[in-house]
Amino acid sequence: MYTLAIVNQKGGVGKTTTAVTLAHGLARAGARVLLVDLDAQGNVADSLGMDKQGDLYDLLVNGGTSTRITTRSGLRVVLSDKTTVQAKQIVMGKAFSEYALQKALGALNDGYVCDFAILDVAPGVDVLQIGALVAADGFIIPVALDHLAVVGAADALASFASLREMQLGGQFLGVLPTFWERTTSESHAQLVALAHQFGRWVWPPVPKDTKVREAPAHGQTLWEYAPDCRALRGVEFAGGHQGGYTSVLARFKEALRG
Amino acid sequence: MGRQSVTLDAGVAAILGESETRQRRRTMTAKEKYDAERVKASYDCPRWLRDAVKDAASARGTSASQMATLLLAWALAELKHGSDGLRDLLWDAKQPRPDALRIEYDLKIPDSLHHIVTGNGTD
């Protein structure tokens, strides 16, 4: 099992959309995928048209080992709800709390063999975020193309780098620019700033798309709600397409190959 | 930004390149935009034809370059629409060139056309 964490300390940058879209995209390609919601807001459930559940609490506190089946072939989930806040407090009080998630996922994997676990990590810095980075084999940082998010991206990476110095945490795979607006100078300026900071680690951006906001309201992933939308396919560009989650998936597979 | 010193993902580099072109275009004057869309093209032609283009342009208060471009575009449109006159002209103008590597035919402007354009037929 390869564990991928979608992380950024900042909220509203597209972490849940990225996690849900990648998870379902991989499942559609034939992989067995487990999507784990580490955010007490429980938005993964909303995005999949499911009810919020305290699966993560059960996993971390009660030693539960079950995953939840979805209507999507190859995709299982561990959902969150407000009980995740209590779970965090309980885990924090335990020794080696940073390993709690890794251990729990390992136990899950014994019962359900999956190819990928995608962790949708809540914003902020807490025991679950650190636990996610410890459990992950690789992580992606989605960054909205606005000034504050771009400035914060360096801070996010710095804190992950400090984990790496302690021989903890997965491999940094890249920065994923989100909410890209092709025609605005601000979006361009922020993409330039990211490229300047992170160079080749910046992945082609995901275009801003109203379908991204609409899909969760219908309880559907982007692949179901708008398979031809810009957020998935990217924008037309010199006879081809650039950016979008389709290229993110391709890029992720490329990163796995080495 | 000094992207020369930063290695970028090919997709990101393409996007940034396109955005920069777009941004630059936004700040251009109308004349700069007009010029940016044009390239210099050079074709060999007889002296009488060059002079005829110059005269036609001068008579209509425009430049020889713009007159030549307009006439060329018109003729190409005719060619594309399958004009009978142009088809016959091309047929008549064909002169085999077995000694040339890059082309099969020379296209020689028929004397009849030369007469019409210049009014005298002298070179």
Side-chain angles (χ1 to χ4, degrees):
Chain A
M1 176 176 78
Y2 184 97
T3 303
L4 172 69
I6 310 297
V7 288
N8 191 334
Q9 295 155 1
K10 196 171 184 326
V13 295
K15 287 188 292 292
T16 299
T17 303
T18 300
V20 169
T21 308
L22 287 189
H24 193 203
L26 288 166
R28 281 162 48 93
R32 288 160 301 181
V33 183
L34 177 66
L35 174 58
V36 184
D37 190 354
L38 300 178
D39 191 337
Q41 293 176 89
N43 287 339
V44 166
D46 298 323
S47 302
L48 295 173
M50 301 171 81
D51 291 330
K52 295 174 187 180
Q53 303 286 346
D55 299 345
L56 190 68
Y57 182 94
D58 190 46
L59 180 77
L60 291 172
V61 179
N62 299 332
T65 56
S66 60
T67 57
R68 196 172 290 275
I69 295 168
T70 70
T71 53
R72 286 90 178 168
S73 173
L75 180 63
R76 290 196 184 203
V77 288
V78 170
L79 297 177
S80 261
D81 64 4
K82 57 191 176 189
T83 61
T84 296
V85 177
Q86 292 165 264
K88 262 194 273 192
Q89 287 165 348
I90 294 168
V91 168
M92 262 194 299
K94 290 182 179 174
F96 303 110
S97 57
E98 63 272 27
Y99 294 100
L101 184 65
Q102 188 180 43
K103 195 175 153 197
L105 288 174
L108 270 185
N109 202 31
D110 288 344
Y112 169 59
V113 180
C114 59
D115 303 306
F116 298 101
I118 310 285
L119 311 180
D120 178 21
V121 185
V125 181
D126 59 32
V127 69
L128 280 188
Q129 192 188 47
I130 292 167
L133 289 166
V134 170
D137 296 299
F139 62 93
I140 296 172
I141 308 176
V143 177
L145 286 174
D146 70 61
H147 179 69
L148 295 178
V150 169
V151 168
D155 296 338
L157 191 63
S159 61
F160 305 148
S162 62
L163 275 179
R164 291 286 288 174
E165 281 169 18
M166 293 187 280
Q167 311 274 308
L168 292 173
Q171 182 193 4
F172 169 55
L173 298 180
V175 169
L176 175 63
T178 55
F179 301 98
W180 172 47
E181 295 175 284
R182 186 183 189 179
T183 55
T184 67
S185 52
E186 178 58 16
S187 207
H188 170 75
Q190 297 310 330
L191 187 57
V192 168
L194 267 188
H196 211 52
Q197 270 186 304
F198 296 103
R200 70 188 173 90
W201 297 104
V202 180
W203 290 14
V206 175
K208 189 174 181 179
D209 191 336
T210 51
K211 302 292 182 202
V212 170
R213 279 186 291 149
E214 292 169 11
H218 291 80
Q220 293 181 326
T221 70
L222 280 173
W223 304 104
E224 296 159 337
Y225 181 69
D228 291 320
C229 71
R230 273 182 304 159
L232 286 182
R233 303 283 171 227
V235 295
E236 279 195 40
F237 206 90
H241 284 81
Q242 289 289 354
Y245 283 112
T246 305
S247 76
V248 175
L249 268 179
R251 186 63 195 264
F252 174 54
K253 288 173 188 167
E254 206 177 284
L256 290 184
R257 282 197 295 269
Chain B
M1 64 174 287
R3 279 212 310 285
Q4 299 85 340
S5 57
V6 182
T7 309
L8 294 181
D9 172 277
V12 173
I15 286 168
L16 288 180
E18 192 256 6
S19 296
E20 276 164 15
T21 306
R22 195 190 289 263
Q23 302 286 331
R24 255 200 315 275
R25 215 182 129 67
R26 266 196 207 140
T27 58
M28 280 180 179
T29 62
K31 172 75 169 73
E32 284 168 336
K33 280 180 192 168
Y34 177 85
D35 288 343
E37 281 172 5
R38 272 151 181 77
V39 291
K40 290 279 180 203
S42 154
Y43 302 109
D44 293 337
C45 71
R47 190 180 302 274
W48 61 260
L49 186 58
R50 185 197 65 183
D51 294 342
V53 169
K54 208 186 281 182
D55 290 346
S58 169
R60 287 160 184 83
T62 187
S63 70
S65 179
Q66 294 191 39
M67 176 56 77
T69 304
L70 181 71
L71 292 176
L72 200 54
W74 173 81
L76 286 170
E78 287 291 299
L79 187 65
K80 202 169 177 180
H81 289 145
S83 147
D84 289 343
L86 261 182
R87 192 189 56 212
D88 293 346
L89 175 67
L90 280 168
W91 181 256
D92 292 344
K94 271 185 175 180
Q95 311 269 319
R97 273 286 299 271
D99 56 324
L101 289 175
R102 290 192 307 123
I103 58 173
E104 288 178 48
Y105 294 97
D106 276 338
L107 290 178
K108 184 176 180 302
I109 299 173
D111 288 342
S112 55
L113 203 56
H114 182 178
H115 286 305
I116 295 169
V117 172
T118 61
N120 57 27
T122 53
D123 219 15

